[in-house]
Amino acid sequence: MPLDQSFVGRSWPPTEPYLVGREKIREFARAIGATDAEYHDPEAARALGYADVVAPPTFPVAITMPASRQVVADPALGVDYSRVVHGDQRFVYSRPVVAGDALVCVNTVEDITSRGGHEFLTTRTDVTTEAGEPVVTVWSKLVVRGEG
């Protein structure tokens, strides 16, 4: 079943704030093998000008992936999540994510295309502080595999 094209340009309400914790950053860094001191040690991060440990560049996926449920779980869009594979991910930063940030996400459907019997859904998630300071924009492309 094709995805509903009328969703292109649609945005969802901001998510509840996600409080970025020092231990979450450390856990994520360990999981991806990132050993840079600023990901683990507050003093090393402060020496580089950060208020606390800084998150590795791909950390926002820990926030934006759960937030994207707003989009993919909308039955009117027509995503069969059992047929979804990840196609692409891109991050554009205004500033790094730091422990202590309270971040909110606003999801928008940027594009829906069909090729070779598959549907391609591109979402943009604007991540800001509670006060509205831009932090990072994350684009994600999901491929909804066709039948057969």
Side-chain angles (χ1 to χ4, degrees), residues 6 8 39 41 54 68 72 79 98 109 125 140:
S6 73
V8 174
Y39 303 148
D41 178 9
V54 62
S68 71
V72 298
V79 174
V98 177
V109 173
T125 305
S140 181

Side-chain angles (χ1 to χ4, degrees), residues 59-83:
F59 179 84
V61 76
I63 304 165
T64 60
M65 190 169 178
S68 71
R69 293 298 304 160
Q70 289 178 312
V71 178
V72 298
D74 190 322
L77 177 57
V79 174
D80 177 354
Y81 204 74
S82 71
R83 304 193 69 74

Side-chain angles (χ1 to χ4, degrees), residues 104-142:
V104 296
C105 299
V106 174
N107 293 300
T108 302
V109 173
E110 281 213 338
D111 191 38
I112 297 173
T113 58
S114 297
R115 291 191 307 268
H118 308 293
E119 300 285 320
F120 295 80
L121 170 66
T122 303
T123 61
R124 183 187 77 237
T125 305
D126 295 303
V127 181
T128 64
T129 64
E130 287 180 292
E133 175 193 1
V135 176
V136 61
T137 301
V138 180
W139 286 268
S140 181
K141 184 172 289 192
L142 301 178

